[in-house]
Amino acid sequence: MTEVATASAAATGIAMATEKAAKELSPEEERVLIRDIALTAEANTKEGDSFFLITQKWWQHWIDYVNQDQQPNNSNNNEGSSSLSGNSDSNGVGISKRPSGIDNSDLISDGPAEDANSDDGVEIHDTLLEGRDYVLLPQQVWNLLYSWYGGGPALSRKTEFAVEVYPLRLQLLVTPKGDRSTIRISKKETIGELHRRACEIFHLNLEQVCIWDYYGHRKHALMNDMDKTLDDANIQMDQDILVEVLNNVNDTVVTDGTSITDNGFADKEATSVLLEPSKSSLSIAGGLSANKIASKGYSAEQLQNQTLGCPSKESDNHFGNSGVSTRGTFGGLTGLLNLGNTCFMNSAIQCLVHTPEFARYFREDYHQEINWQNPLGMVGELALAFGELLRKLWAPGRTPVAPRPFKAKLARFAPQFSGYNQHDSQELLAFLLDGLHEDLNRVKHKPYVNSRDADGRPDEEVADEYWANHIARNDSIIVDVCQGQYKSTLVCPVCNKVSVTFDPFMYLSLPLQFATTRSMTITIFTCDGSALTSTCTVTVPKQGRYRDLIQAVSNVCSLKQTEEIKLIRNHLIHRFLDDSFVSLSTIKDDDHLAAYKIQKSAKGNVLLQLIHRRQEQETSDAQRWKPFGTPLISSLSCDDVIRSGVIQTIVQTMLTPLLKEGIEYSDDSDPSTSGMARDPSDHGSGEVDTNCASTSINKVLPKLPLQLVDESKTCIDLSAGDEKAINLSAMSHVVVYLDWTSKLLEKYNINYLENLPEVFKYGPITKKARTEPLSLYTCLEAFLREEPLVPEDMYCPQCKEQRQASKKLDLWRLPEVLVIHLKRFSYSRSMKHKVETFVNFPIHDFDLTNYVADKRSSCSQLYELYALTNHYGGMGSGHYTAHIKLLDENKWYNFDDSHISPINEEDVKTAAAYVLFYRRAKSDTSGTSSAGSRRARDKTSYKY
């Protein structure tokens, strides 16, 4: 259906719905109508359209109501809780009643509206989150729901690139009267509209009023472009706006920089104090704040005495509201406004902007290097947006910059960074470096290159060939500055085939690990009934393989030569962990492991797999047997035919360790033998001898409700008699279901079957773990250490099969700027974890000489830290900042979004350090070699 047809159908639906009361519509009719209207409205949304907030609670109630007639075909789909698609997450249980009137009271702040003249006259909470507290509905959808259900109040917001849920809140200050008022206004409104509303609030004439951008208790800019939007004028949340009333329309407007005294008049004398840095290094913001001065009644003369009485540096002046005093001749101390969870972006941008090579490049004419045709790039738009932002951050002035244009370009080419959720600053950094490289790639037509295998050639020759091939296709300022090369060596464990490649890298991701070992907890089942089920913790190599874990468990079990260990993970009996070469890293800390001590496989043996089942209520009148817990296994030695009574005996033997103590049975058995199924020493080998199986179990224990699955997938009842013959000739293993009745559960302790411990349980992070130092060199050594790969990662050309190869990395060629990512975040199926370890990283003389495999290099391998990003808080939240050294000043600063403050060098190292930026130290003999000279050197000889 075309958009015109869809819109026409939606319009017809609205007309019909308004004529027909909602109570006359079925839930399905409501759902379809709202769905069609919503799709049409969203497809035709344009900037400036209104959206309406509605509480998530009411919306979810309505979703459940209109979806209740749908068949629960997708009961496992947890993403449909707010969907109009017809799939509900209620799994068909219960019937939802029709919602009452719309109630948005939970969204409204208890206090009065700050702006009595606002459109909706109400103030919403500042802490609301979309999807948790509210949803946004197009105006057509809201109107229809409101006509059906009533209620409210209506909370409308206009769209920008995203819906403006929180309009600007501005503080209006009238001078000379001193009146104040708070106003809510959309940032898409014009300065003229702000002008009009200010006059309306204070009952002033438009001709006698001018308004100022009032920042840091000082006038900054006369807002006289009435057609400019507040967004374009860079007006921010909670900013002060000065409304100046002129006694005569011909009055002269006071020049920029004037301070306002306690009576609201412009104070020329105070102004002179602020504008003459030679008299003092402190402005009002550097000493007492303006409102405190006003409240204490300081005169301009007292203010001057106050500021002059402070120690100063004659060349300093104060800037902005960042709390920094610095020499005015240097730039680069401009903050970035947080647009809503954009601290991850701000911290990464500041580090790149303050990389000297990038600062020089983007402030010069780089447009001639933009690759407009690169299909892998962003047609130059990302480079242009970044270059424009960098120039703003290095321009004179200290007003924080709002990076909206850059974020819009970022969201266009990397949708994962759209919206206003928190993201990983390292992931953004990786995308940004790669995107800038493609936009600025000097190679307009990439040649085809064929990298040959080393075939025993010298590493130096092969490395230079690989680098030449790389440069032939990739040549940009990013390659010049940030790309290095490492050597990768793969060894096949079967044929010992060695494969060597030399690959480029943009940054190094280093693991944070103290030791080379790992603790793993496993539950051990002895399936011949000779020992109780137990849990043990073993220590294995952190980069080890399955064979290391099997060996460790075998040692704990005192395994005999005739026995073996079988491992399963997460109750999955169909796949044993028996490939010796698979890496232990495939086993996560929140997995559950079970080990079985059984007799080694022999000819004629089959494996008996015991699957536990119990009844679960499916509907009000129907129950079903469903598998649960950890299966048990036993090695079964038998002929082609086995009797059902023998299988009963074997299963009862396997369950013997789970019998509860003190259980009395009413069978006709000798009381002295109750609970004693067999002497554990009788069959210590772990295999049940079916030819001479003990009948004492049958005397003590009742028949178990067992079902055997034959080769035709048919269940055979094994509790009917002992002499039923079962043909096993066509079966590679025997699957038996044990149906646990409530009476049977009273006799056995099945805790071990249901609750296997996790491989490793994270407890509260101790103070020692948070503060114990870990050297950056140790992290680098762990990164370069040999480790096994998963089998799918290497195809051996000699074996012509997938192999579990080992991989070893070596640094070969280092870049001018070395970016190091500390891997603080780990992910698993059920949890996310942040490593809070303090890493002791060098600020000066980070010496990598011993870690570079190519010894031909004459370049210095010493690096100096000049920037880093920090992450404070936990996973999925927290806050990013940056510590940056201004090389011209030789000073460190903390960049916290729009706030910048000086810090001491000893405060740079914290446990929050996340991404480190190092720059090659320049030796006295080499001078200041540029990235361009490095590129020229690499292009000519590819030799050091």
Side-chain angles (χ1 to χ4, degrees), residues 30-330:
E30 284 191 37
R31 183 186 69 81
V32 172
L33 187 57
I34 291 294
R35 181 199 63 191
D36 293 343
I37 295 172
L39 291 174
T40 303
E42 291 179 6
N44 296 287
T45 297
K46 59 184 180 299
E47 200 166 321
D49 286 351
S50 293
F51 273 65
F52 285 74
L53 281 74
I54 194 168
T55 59
Q56 174 71 29
K57 181 170 62 177
W58 191 94
W59 177 252
Q60 186 60 54
H61 188 174
W62 183 82
I63 289 292
D64 292 340
Y65 166 67
V66 299
N67 281 327
Q68 61 185 330
D69 295 332
Q70 301 297 314
Q71 295 299 322
N73 296 326
N74 297 323
S75 59
N76 293 327
N77 180 11
N78 294 323
E79 300 177 358
S81 59
S82 297
S83 171
L84 292 171
S85 64
N87 295 326
S88 172
D89 63 352
S90 60
N91 293 333
V93 179
I95 298 177
S96 179
K97 296 181 179 178
R98 187 175 187 273
S100 56
I102 299 170
D103 183 8
N104 280 338
S105 59
D106 290 345
L107 306 180
I108 301 171
S109 176
D110 295 332
E114 294 174 332
D115 178 16
N117 299 282
S118 63
D119 294 337
D120 46 42
V122 294
E123 185 76 10
I124 66 173
H125 290 293
D126 288 338
T127 57
L128 302 178
L129 290 178
E130 184 178 359
R132 183 194 70 182
D133 302 308
Y134 67 88
V135 294
L136 289 164
L137 302 178
Q139 183 171 359
Q140 300 92 320
V141 174
W142 163 264
N143 290 343
L144 198 53
L145 289 174
Y146 183 76
S147 69
W148 291 343
Y149 293 94
L155 304 173
S156 65
R157 296 294 184 266
K158 292 187 181 299
T159 59
E160 192 194 13
F161 289 106
V163 176
E164 185 183 18
V165 176
Y166 294 105
L168 292 174
R169 179 175 53 219
L170 304 179
Q171 313 296 328
L172 303 182
L173 169 64
V174 180
T175 179
K177 296 197 306 183
D179 294 342
R180 292 176 178 270
S181 181
T182 301
I183 185 175
R184 282 280 193 178
I185 186 170
S186 171
K187 56 188 163 186
K188 305 309 292 182
E189 295 288 4
T190 63
I191 292 175
E193 175 63 15
L194 175 61
H195 195 186
R196 184 193 66 78
R197 291 181 62 177
C199 292
E200 184 180 286
I201 292 171
F202 296 114
H203 307 290
L204 302 171
N205 294 324
L206 289 171
E207 294 79 9
Q208 66 177 132
V209 170
C210 61
I211 54 178
W212 295 82
D213 177 359
Y214 187 54
Y215 187 74
H217 308 290
R218 305 169 66 182
K219 293 180 185 178
H220 280 267
L222 178 64
M223 300 170 63
N224 56 2
D225 186 349
M226 297 301 171
D227 294 327
K228 180 182 286 187
T229 66
L230 299 179
D231 190 19
D232 292 337
N234 203 22
I235 303 302
Q236 304 301 319
M237 182 71 76
D238 293 323
Q239 189 164 325
D240 292 336
I241 300 295
L242 184 65
V243 181
E244 185 173 14
V245 181
L246 305 178
N247 293 329
N248 187 298
V249 293
N250 296 320
D251 284 353
T252 302
V253 177
V254 181
T255 57
D256 185 16
T258 303
S259 174
I260 306 301
T261 60
D262 56 339
N263 63 6
F265 285 97
D267 191 327
K268 296 290 186 181
E269 190 171 1
T271 304
S272 67
V273 175
L274 294 175
L275 297 182
E276 295 184 30
S278 60
K279 293 183 179 179
S280 172
S281 65
L282 294 175
S283 67
I284 290 179
L288 297 173
S289 64
N291 58 346
K292 288 183 180 179
I293 292 172
S295 65
K296 291 187 178 185
Y298 282 94
S299 66
E301 182 179 357
Q302 289 171 315
L303 171 62
Q304 188 172 10
N305 292 336
Q306 168 73 23
T307 57
L308 288 174
C310 299
S312 66
K313 293 181 182 178
E314 198 142 312
S315 60
D316 288 358
N317 68 14
H318 185 269
F319 60 90
N321 67 340
S322 59
V324 180
S325 292
T326 185
R327 291 187 290 276
T329 56
F330 296 112

Side-chain angles (χ1 to χ4, degrees), residues 433-490:
L433 287 173
D434 189 60
L436 289 175
H437 158 65
E438 295 296 351
D439 265 5
L440 299 169
N441 196 348
R442 304 178 185 104
V443 180
K444 301 302 188 280
H445 303 284
K446 295 186 177 183
Y448 173 78
V449 295
N450 184 21
S451 297
R452 296 185 297 154
D453 199 359
D455 287 332
R457 291 183 293 158
D459 285 346
E460 293 79 6
E461 178 185 339
V462 179
D464 288 344
E465 180 182 286
Y466 270 82
W467 188 251
N469 291 341
H470 176 66
I471 293 296
R473 294 172 55 84
N474 302 276
D475 183 15
S476 70
I477 181 65
I478 305 300
V479 176
D480 298 342
V481 175
C482 292
Q483 286 198 357
Q485 187 182 32
Y486 59 72
K487 173 186 176 183
S488 175
T489 305
L490 299 179

Side-chain angles (χ1 to χ4, degrees), residues 490-493 545 787-791 794 803-807:
L490 299 179
V491 181
C492 176
R545 309 188 186 199
E787 64 177 2
L789 301 175
V790 296
M794 181 191 173
R803 293 299 188 192
Q804 181 79 34
S806 62
K807 182 177 182 179

Side-chain angles (χ1 to χ4, degrees), residues 512-517 542 768-769 772-775 778 835 837-838:
L512 304 188
Q513 54 186 36
F514 287 96
T516 60
T517 59
K542 200 176 189 74
K768 179 181 179 182
E772 185 178 355
L774 174 65
S775 168
T778 304
V835 180
T837 303
F838 172 75

Side-chain angles (χ1 to χ4, degrees), residues 722-755:
D722 294 341
E723 299 304 320
K724 182 179 294 185
I726 311 295
N727 187 1
L728 304 179
S729 58
M731 301 173 66
S732 59
H733 60 275
V734 178
V735 175
V736 175
Y737 291 121
L738 170 56
D739 296 334
W740 288 88
T741 62
S742 55
K743 184 176 181 181
L744 194 61
L745 289 170
E746 295 174 357
K747 301 175 183 178
Y748 291 91
N749 183 357
I750 63 169
N751 181 60
Y752 276 117
L753 299 179
E754 289 192 289
N755 303 304

Side-chain angles (χ1 to χ4, degrees), residues 409-434:
K409 294 295 183 186
L410 183 69
R412 176 183 172 188
F413 295 108
Q416 65 269 29
F417 297 117
S418 62
Y420 296 92
N421 293 324
Q422 183 69 280
H423 294 279
D424 189 332
S425 68
Q426 188 273 332
E427 292 180 2
L428 170 73
L429 182 67
F431 169 80
L432 192 51
L433 287 173
D434 189 60

